[in-house]
Amino acid sequence: MEIRQLLTFRTIVDVGSYTNAAAKLGYTQSTITSHIQALEREIGGELFTYVKRELNLTSLGKELIPLADELLQTYNRIAQMKNHNTISGELKIAAPESLTISRLGPILREYSSKYPDVKIILSNGTCGKNQKDLISGYVDVAFMIWPELELNDCIHHRLHKEEIVLITSPDKNQHFDYYKNKETTDFFITNEKGCSYRSMFETYLTHHKLPKFQTMELWSLEAIKQSVISGLGFAVLPYVTVKNEVEQGLLNVMKHNEKFEPIYSHLLVKSKKWQAPAVEKFIELTLEAI
């Protein structure tokens, strides 16, 4: 039995298929298969089975998970001993675009300066996708903008209360009541479905039986802001993402009497007995920056 076989097994569990595990580990699929077959011979039974073409753990596979985790954690600790004064390796981070452009820059700069031997891989996605990628093992750390969280499968740290504002161009009506009570050709300019503050706003409209607006769905925060500046409509965004444009007079924060659900930024990591030093140091630095 070899450590790499256990690593292959645990990766398949995390990412859900032999194909995804091969891509993550940089192996061919035949190598992944041979690792599992060798492990099954050692243990004396099947670890995975297919049900309607879906890969499932057998009872033996489920029993192996905590034992494999314990061995892999011990192996990783031993591997770090030779470089106990050097933090190295990869750090995979998933974050929504809004936090990437507004909060993560200074943290990543300081982290890179302190730990230059760590390779940072940053991906942007919706908050739901970021959490899913964390649970699946694609990333080490995930950020979300979300209401209060209660999670069983990962550890989370609440970072900031994010003020959500309605923004429009300075030459537009500056109170949301105008949009609620009158027909308007202005667009609700927003990003993709699954965005937490978009979902919060649309749910609020439905719950309070307020009119729905024509929606213009764009691919980036910069595109949303420029469209609002040009007078196409209004947007709902965290204030931290529009602070500069508001201070420059390019955008205005609309007045309103609504009571939106509070939303926070969160840092998430998987629940483990042991985190890689690169991950631990990033968590420490992020929490210090609050």
Side-chain angles (χ1 to χ4, degrees):
M1 188 182 300
E2 300 177 9
I3 284 292
R4 61 178 182 169
Q5 294 165 358
L6 292 171
L7 178 59
T8 295
F9 165 74
R10 198 59 180 86
T11 303
I12 294 171
V13 173
D14 285 339
V15 303
S17 74
Y18 283 40
T19 302
N20 291 341
K24 182 174 182 179
L25 295 173
Y27 292 143
T28 63
Q29 192 160 338
S30 61
T31 299
I32 295 291
T33 300
S34 68
H35 284 182
I36 297 303
Q37 288 174 342
L39 197 53
E40 288 175 336
R41 284 194 298 271
E42 288 283 345
I43 295 173
E46 289 187 336
L47 299 172
F48 297 99
T49 186
Y50 283 93
V51 178
K52 295 182 180 179
R53 297 186 178 181
E54 183 177 341
L55 190 66
N56 289 279
L57 279 162
T58 64
S59 58
L60 191 63
K62 292 176 183 178
E63 188 178 348
L64 178 61
I65 288 176
L67 301 174
D69 284 348
E70 187 175 347
L71 284 169
L72 289 170
Q73 287 164 7
T74 301
Y75 173 78
N76 286 331
R77 288 184 183 183
I78 294 170
Q80 291 292 334
M81 288 176 65
K82 63 181 180 181
N83 294 317
H84 64 280
N85 292 322
T86 301
I87 306 298
S88 60
E90 283 188 347
L91 175 64
K92 297 179 181 179
I93 305 168
E97 182 191 13
S98 52
L99 288 183
T100 299
I101 66 173
S102 61
R103 297 205 184 276
L104 288 188
I107 296 171
L108 293 174
R109 280 196 300 272
E110 185 175 356
Y111 185 88
S112 296
S113 176
K114 285 187 173 182
Y115 310 110
D117 294 323
V118 177
K119 179 183 178 182
I120 298 173
I121 302 172
L122 175 63
S123 61
N124 289 149
T126 63
C127 294
K129 183 179 186 303
N130 294 340
Q131 183 183 6
K132 184 177 179 181
D133 284 349
L134 177 72
I135 301 303
S136 299
Y138 288 117
V139 298
D140 304 302
V141 177
F143 287 90
M144 299 175 68
I145 294 181
W146 209 259
E148 292 282 5
L149 287 173
E150 291 184 11
L151 303 171
N152 296 321
D153 45 11
C154 57
I155 300 167
H156 93 277
H157 304 273
R158 196 174 81 180
L159 303 179
H160 299 271
K161 183 177 181 179
E162 301 293 347
E163 181 186 3
I164 304 299
V165 295
L166 282 68
I167 58 163
T168 188
S169 64
D171 59 347
K172 291 284 185 178
N173 194 291
Q174 297 304 303
H175 203 292
F176 187 55
D177 284 352
Y178 170 82
Y179 293 87
K180 286 167 49 179
N181 301 327
K182 297 184 179 181
E183 291 186 6
T184 177
T185 57
D186 283 2
F187 288 94
F188 167 43
I189 304 172
T190 186
N191 41 14
E192 69 272 31
K193 290 184 181 295
C195 167
S196 56
Y197 38 90
R198 172 182 175 174
S199 297
M200 177 275 291
F201 181 68
E202 291 180 332
T203 300
Y204 183 89
L205 294 179
T206 301
H207 182 73
H208 290 82
K209 298 180 180 179
L210 297 177
K212 293 184 178 179
F213 302 95
Q214 296 185 83
T215 299
M216 179 182 290
E217 190 173 296
L218 298 179
W219 63 94
S220 74
L221 280 174
E222 188 59 33
I224 292 170
K225 290 191 284 187
Q226 290 301 321
S227 296
V228 174
I229 289 170
S230 70
L232 285 173
F234 71 96
V236 177
L237 294 170
Y239 178 71
V240 70
T241 66
V242 297
K243 181 176 182 290
N244 291 338
E245 289 83 357
V246 170
E247 291 177 349
Q248 294 168 21
L250 298 173
L251 291 171
N252 274 0
V253 176
M254 265 200 286
K255 297 177 182 178
H256 65 82
N257 301 314
E258 317 307 320
K259 293 184 179 180
F260 298 131
E261 182 180 13
I263 286 183
Y264 305 87
S265 50
H266 304 267
L267 167 65
L268 284 70
V269 292
K270 279 189 83 171
S271 300
K272 294 180 179 179
K273 293 181 180 178
W274 180 84
Q275 297 284 354
V279 177
E280 285 185 340
K281 295 299 182 183
F282 182 77
I283 295 169
E284 289 175 11
L285 197 60
T286 301
L287 297 180
E288 287 172 3
I290 296 177

